[in-house]
Amino acid sequence: MTDVVALAKEREQIFRDLFSGKTPKRVPVSNPATLEFAIQYYGEDLAEAQWDLAKAEPALDKFCKEFPTDTTPIGSIRPPAFYQLLGSKAIVMGSGGFMQHPEVTGMFPEEYDDFIAAPYDFIIETILPRLYTELDTEPNKKAMVLAKAMRAHLDDYTFVGQMRERVNAKYGMVAPAVALTEAPFDFLADFIRSFKGISSDLRRYPDKISAACEAVLPLMIKKGRLPDPAMLGYSFLPLHMAPYMRNSDFENFYWPTFKKLVEALADEGYNVQLFIEHDWMRFLDFLYELPENTIMRFEYGDPKVVAEKLGKKHIISGFYPITLLQIGTQEQCIEKAKELLDILAPTGKYWFQGDKSIVSVDETGNTGKNLRAVLEYVIENGTY
């Protein structure tokens, strides 16, 4: 067995232990910087490299060689061809080359009853043509547009998968499979009614929101499934709206179907990772009630309180402030990593990740230098 193969097996076992509730050999480490960061860091044009992914691979290779990590640092890259062919208004490329999600509305409030009656049909027949303008056409042309877009999507993600396999084989990293889904309330807010629309609907159509969340729940369960529950991977839920809601609204409208979703996926044998965006400290008692070993990546909050309340039952991650990598000294950045290790590693269920992903470089170059130092420190000192 080569050293690289042995390293990959060791890393895989670390994650299998973590996901099953066992204390692994050491704290697993994921690089919070993404492929978008790597492309820019090594001098490639971000927009151009996303159109021609072959130009991204040399940057990814150098990134994996120079920045120690257990998992492949690809992140949630969205190749733009698929979205341009569909005439997307929901995901668009900004002037800096980043794929962005602007505020969009796919459904009007007077259409709640139609959505509730048949959410999948309504999404296909009404919402998609509104958000993807090239689908707003006669059936034969729509089929051709969709076929071209799906061909581009398949080609791009096949290349991304092959690129990931090549760097994994070279550097002994692991790439847990990921299925992306959303809490039903967040799904309504993101692409159906918009953040502004759903906030208004809480006052005007509360009963319809509850019914819509229940109606879309089976679709969110389906989106969260991996091909095989036993594989190394997880269902990923980025959580958006809860911090902006009143406690009573969270409890009545957000929590019920969110909890059902996580429980359903856990019951089917899937690991679940939550990206707990913004500040959820007032909802920690709710989070405790989720199935054991739910992975919780926190953006903000008090890690000591989280460790005390959740650390014995759940897997804790996040908290490391990526802004510190840009503005802090190397000593300050390493000290913060040490602080989080001291607080969270004793739970036996700590996964080192940033409080969010790093997608852009800074002019000073501090982020790259400090990031490398922090990753090296955690890899070397995160033993149990």
Side-chain angles (χ1 to χ4, degrees), residues 46-53 77-88 91-93 97-99 152 156-157:
L46 179 60
E48 186 177 334
Q50 289 178 100
W51 279 104
D52 183 1
L53 289 166
I77 192 167
R78 286 182 164 125
F82 170 78
Y83 297 100
Q84 179 161 307
L85 287 166
L86 291 177
S88 174
I91 304 292
V92 297
M93 180 178 282
F98 293 99
M99 300 301 289
D156 282 338
Y157 279 97

Side-chain angles (χ1 to χ4, degrees), residues 140-201:
N140 288 340
K141 186 176 180 181
K142 182 187 298 186
M144 184 60 69
V145 168
L146 186 59
K148 289 180 179 179
M150 291 307 298
R151 179 74 261 177
H153 178 83
L154 179 61
D155 288 347
D156 282 338
Y157 279 97
T158 297
F159 185 86
V160 170
Q162 293 169 344
M163 179 170 60
R164 181 174 55 220
E165 289 177 1
R166 285 190 285 269
V167 296
N168 285 355
K170 190 172 182 179
Y171 299 108
M173 295 177 300
V174 295
V178 180
L180 174 64
T181 188
E182 287 192 285
F185 191 98
D186 284 331
F187 183 73
L188 292 178
D190 273 356
F191 295 104
I192 310 299
R193 287 292 296 129
S194 78
F195 278 27
K196 181 179 179 181
I198 200 76
S199 298
S200 174
D201 294 348

Side-chain angles (χ1 to χ4, degrees), residues 20 30 52 90 205 227 290 337 357 371:
S20 63
S30 288
D52 183 1
Y205 309 106
L290 294 175
S357 296
L371 174 61

Side-chain angles (χ1 to χ4, degrees), residues 87-379:
S88 174
K89 296 192 294 184
I91 304 292
V92 297
M93 180 178 282
S95 59
F98 293 99
M99 300 301 289
Q100 300 171 334
H101 171 38
E103 179 89 337
V104 292
T105 301
M107 181 182 80
F108 305 123
E110 59 270 20
E111 296 174 320
Y112 263 110
D113 288 341
D114 293 334
F115 178 83
I116 292 164
Y120 183 80
D121 293 344
F122 192 86
I123 289 170
I124 297 297
E125 297 167 4
T126 303
I127 294 176
L128 289 183
R130 286 175 180 167
L131 299 183
Y132 300 90
T133 58
E134 293 299 316
L135 296 177
D136 188 14
T137 185
E138 55 92 14
N140 288 340
K141 186 176 180 181
K142 182 187 298 186
M144 184 60 69
V145 168
L146 186 59
K148 289 180 179 179
M150 291 307 298
R151 179 74 261 177
H153 178 83
L154 179 61
D155 288 347
D156 282 338
Y157 279 97
T158 297
F159 185 86
V160 170
Q162 293 169 344
M163 179 170 60
R164 181 174 55 220
E165 289 177 1
R166 285 190 285 269
V167 296
N168 285 355
K170 190 172 182 179
Y171 299 108
M173 295 177 300
V174 295
V178 180
L180 174 64
T181 188
E182 287 192 285
F185 191 98
D186 284 331
F187 183 73
L188 292 178
D190 273 356
F191 295 104
I192 310 299
R193 287 292 296 129
S194 78
F195 278 27
K196 181 179 179 181
I198 200 76
S199 298
S200 174
D201 294 348
L202 281 170
R203 299 185 297 274
R204 300 172 61 197
Y205 309 106
D207 293 341
K208 294 187 185 299
I209 288 179
S210 293
C213 286
E214 291 288 350
V216 83
L217 175 60
L219 298 182
M220 297 299 99
I221 294 172
K222 185 175 181 179
K223 275 176 57 64
R225 291 183 176 125
L226 292 162
D228 177 4
M231 71 194 307
L232 181 64
Y234 50 82
S235 306
F236 180 65
L237 283 76
L239 308 179
H240 304 316
M241 285 296 297
Y244 307 101
M245 300 172 70
R246 296 179 298 181
N247 287 7
S248 58
D249 286 341
F250 171 85
E251 186 170 359
N252 293 325
F253 301 107
Y254 192 102
W255 175 250
T257 49
F258 167 49
K259 183 171 185 282
K260 289 177 184 178
L261 171 60
V262 177
E263 289 177 338
L265 292 171
D267 287 345
E268 292 184 21
Y270 300 103
N271 305 307
V272 177
Q273 180 175 178
L274 311 176
F275 180 27
I276 302 174
E277 299 179 12
H278 203 54
D279 189 347
W280 277 61
M281 293 301 291
R282 58 194 166 111
F283 301 130
L284 293 186
D285 289 339
F286 288 93
L287 292 175
Y288 182 84
E289 295 302 319
L290 294 175
E292 188 173 6
N293 292 323
T294 298
I295 307 160
M296 301 183 181
R297 180 182 177 185
F298 285 84
E299 184 174 12
Y300 298 118
D302 186 333
K304 291 183 179 179
V305 175
V306 169
E308 291 171 2
K309 287 199 168 189
L310 305 179
K312 297 302 181 184
K313 183 177 181 181
H314 298 299
I315 298 164
I316 307 302
S317 183
F319 285 120
Y320 191 92
I322 63 168
T323 53
L324 181 62
L325 299 171
Q326 180 177 352
I327 64 175
T329 65
Q330 189 171 112
E331 291 74 20
Q332 289 172 328
C333 293
I334 291 176
E335 186 59 32
K336 185 64 178 180
K338 181 179 184 301
E339 175 190 327
L340 291 174
L341 281 173
D342 289 345
I343 294 170
L344 295 170
T347 67
K349 297 183 177 186
Y350 175 43
W351 177 1
F352 182 85
Q353 298 188 86
D355 63 347
K356 57 183 71 68
S357 296
I358 308 173
V359 297
S360 60
V361 297
D362 62 284
E363 294 181 357
T364 66
N366 283 345
T367 298
K369 291 183 290 186
N370 288 334
L371 174 61
R372 183 186 291 111
V374 166
L375 293 173
E376 289 173 349
Y377 178 84
V378 180
I379 289 280

